[in-house]
Amino acid sequence: MAAITMGVTALDCPDPHALAAFYAAVLDWKIDPESDDEWVELIGPQGRTLAFQRSEGYRPPQWPGVEHAQQMHLDFDVFEEQMDEAEAQVLALGATLLEGDHDGARAWRVYADPVGHPFCLCANG
């Protein structure tokens, strides 16, 4: 067994509460009531945690460019028959479609969250 295990994944952003609210709505996770203005955590199933950290002077990545590289992205699994519904949900919450699934030729679609972090909805099952 490894001495090190994965902990929190944290995203830099200009407003941690606003971005946490976006992902809370996407994932149906709860915002930790002990969060503050600098660090906000979402609590998910099985102890999963996604955090948002205030970053003054935040500059969003530009996907797929390299001048302001994405550095990381999040993948979210969606049942294949619910992809259109999931896309409508994230767009209504403030996401932007960056690249579609090429008329079903790929099993994922790429979006940017409200502050520019790329994420994918991936057909699973």
Side-chain angles (χ1 to χ4, degrees):
M1 182 171 164
I4 299 170
T5 59
M6 182 72 174
V8 174
T9 298
L11 299 176
D12 286 353
C13 59
D15 182 344
H17 283 283
L19 195 56
F22 170 81
Y23 283 104
V26 167
L27 297 169
D28 195 25
W29 290 12
K30 302 298 179 212
I31 295 175
D32 184 340
E34 295 186 25
S35 297
D36 59 38
D37 289 341
E38 300 298 315
W39 182 270
V40 177
E41 291 187 357
L42 291 184
I43 308 302
Q46 301 158 348
R48 294 183 200 150
T49 304
L50 184 59
F52 307 90
Q53 174 177 272
R54 182 178 306 282
S55 175
E56 297 302 326
Y58 171 78
R59 291 174 48 180
Q62 294 176 353
W63 186 91
V66 293
E67 184 177 324
H68 301 285
Q70 68 175 325
Q71 298 179 15
M72 67 166 287
H73 73 272
L74 301 170
D75 284 346
F76 299 107
D77 291 337
V78 177
F79 289 115
E80 187 173 357
E81 65 272 9
Q82 294 179 316
M83 282 292 284
D84 291 337
E85 178 183 338
E87 176 173 278
Q89 176 189 356
V90 299
L91 294 175
L93 291 168
T96 303
L97 178 66
L98 298 177
E99 188 173 342
D101 61 8
H102 300 281
D103 295 320
R106 300 191 317 196
W108 69 91
R109 300 173 188 173
V110 183
Y111 305 84
D113 70 21
V115 299
H117 298 107
F119 69 93
C120 297
L121 296 180
C122 302
N124 185 9

